[in-house]
Amino acid sequence: MNSNTFRMPAAALLAAGAVALLTAPPALATGGTGGGSEGSSGAVVLRTGLDVSLLNKAVNVPLKTTLNEVSAPETAQKTALTVTLDGVDQGQPVSVLQAEVATSKATADKKRAEAEANLAKARVHVPGLPKLSLVEVEKVTSKAVCEAGKKPVATSNVLGTVTALGKKVTLSAGGPTRLEVPGVGVVTLELSGTETTSTTAAAAALKLKVSVNPLKLNVAEVEGEIVLAEAHCTSPAGPAPSPSATPAAVKPDVKQQTGTGTKPAVTQANLAETGAGSVTPYVAGGALLLLGIGGGALVVTRRGKSAQDA
């Protein structure tokens, strides 16, 4: 057995390995994609939480209702809204709200959530006071906007005059306004204002605390709370990072073979767009080197064999 027996397999192995490296598929740079979830929003023109006492407080009937309440995506534009309470006025409907304009709207998608409520020339009634309005307003509005990546915004306004139990009242941002009418009751009115967090916004134009004693229509007492023009929203979740925003792959620490310890300048390339990894140049260079060595060994082997045959 001579050395040629070992050279042939070694040369073939080197050549085959070089070809395998050259034909191997490149590593692809991948990144997660996807959008954020939708936000949410809702609005209501009037919300009540009242307790109505009947028959000298022997029976309590709750009046908890929302009028023109919507959640995204939805719009409501009813202007005459009624509720029915058993035992009050022989079960006839009670007109709780009448207005020239009573609209609520809510929208939401992956970029923005928004809600608004509007009332104009509105009159609010409670059981036992069919002719005297609990409160009358010229215009109240609320709006909440939640946009992805931005601070939520909430606004509310009470415009024009406000009348409670037939009397004009002046509202103050510093605190509630209390109005008492002998033989009828007490109403406390408060500019509810706005509230925001990093992801939510809420606004309500006017809040009323009610305590009236009409002594009519078999109603002994009405107590509770009423809110006018309410809007709220929650911000959509932000979109996931795009592939271009992912961190670049870590490059190998390559040093010159001169003993100086300095690094050669490396040209930065956008390899993620081409699908090549950061080590591709070195793999290709190694493959070419192996191919050259394998080819040289194969030539030397064939020459040695030819000389023996001669």
Side-chain angles (χ1 to χ4, degrees):
M1 183 180 294
N2 55 43
S3 61
N4 290 338
T5 305
F6 299 96
R7 286 175 185 165
M8 286 295 291
L13 180 62
L14 287 172
V19 173
L21 285 173
L22 286 175
T23 58
L28 298 178
T30 59
T33 59
S37 61
E38 291 187 356
S40 62
S41 62
V44 61
V45 298
L46 182 142
R47 185 188 304 280
T48 66
L50 301 173
D51 289 322
V52 181
S53 299
L54 309 176
L55 302 173
N56 297 321
K57 297 187 178 182
V59 178
N60 291 323
V61 181
L63 175 53
K64 294 177 172 59
T65 186
T66 55
L67 304 178
N68 276 17
E69 183 176 30
V70 296
S71 57
E74 197 173 356
T75 300
Q77 298 184 11
K78 294 180 181 178
T79 57
L81 302 151
T82 63
V83 295
T84 300
L85 287 176
D86 293 337
V88 178
D89 196 15
Q90 288 79 47
Q92 296 298 313
V94 177
S95 177
V96 178
L97 173 66
Q98 290 181 326
E100 289 185 5
V101 176
T103 63
S104 53
K105 182 179 180 181
T107 59
D109 55 29
K110 293 183 179 181
K111 295 182 179 180
R112 181 186 179 97
E114 182 176 342
E116 61 179 298
N118 300 278
L119 274 171
K121 302 293 183 181
R123 299 181 301 277
V124 178
H125 293 268
V126 294
L129 295 176
K131 296 182 180 180
L132 182 62
S133 299
L134 177 70
V135 63
E136 296 183 21
V137 296
E138 286 193 20
K139 186 176 182 180
V140 292
T141 64
S142 289
K143 187 174 184 178
V145 179
C146 298
E147 192 169 352
K150 295 184 179 181
K151 181 176 177 60
V153 178
T155 57
S156 65
N157 292 288
V158 178
L159 306 174
T161 61
V162 177
T163 302
L165 298 176
K167 296 182 177 293
K168 184 178 178 180
V169 296
T170 300
L171 301 177
S172 172
T177 299
R178 186 176 186 272
L179 177 66
E180 183 175 357
V181 177
V184 178
V186 178
V187 178
T188 302
L189 303 93
E190 184 177 2
L191 294 171
S192 186
T194 62
E195 182 179 351
T196 59
T197 68
S198 59
T199 58
T200 64
L206 191 62
K207 181 187 295 183
L208 294 83
K209 290 184 178 180
V210 182
S211 178
V212 297
N213 189 15
L215 298 177
K216 294 180 181 179
L217 296 178
N218 202 28
V219 175
E221 192 171 352
V222 179
E223 291 187 349
E225 186 176 273
I226 295 176
V227 178
L228 298 179
E230 186 179 69
H232 61 87
C233 64
T234 302
S235 298
S242 61
S244 60
T246 56
V250 178
K251 294 185 178 296
D253 187 9
V254 180
K255 296 183 180 181
Q256 292 178 333
Q257 302 301 317
T258 59
T260 61
T262 59
K263 299 179 182 179
V266 179
T267 303
Q268 182 71 23
N270 191 0
L271 298 176
E273 293 184 0
T274 62
S278 60
V279 298
T280 301
Y282 307 104
V283 173
L288 291 175
L289 179 62
L290 289 174
L291 183 61
I293 295 174
L298 185 61
V299 170
V300 171
T301 302
R302 288 179 177 175
R303 287 180 178 176
K305 185 177 181 180
S306 298
Q308 289 181 356
D309 293 340

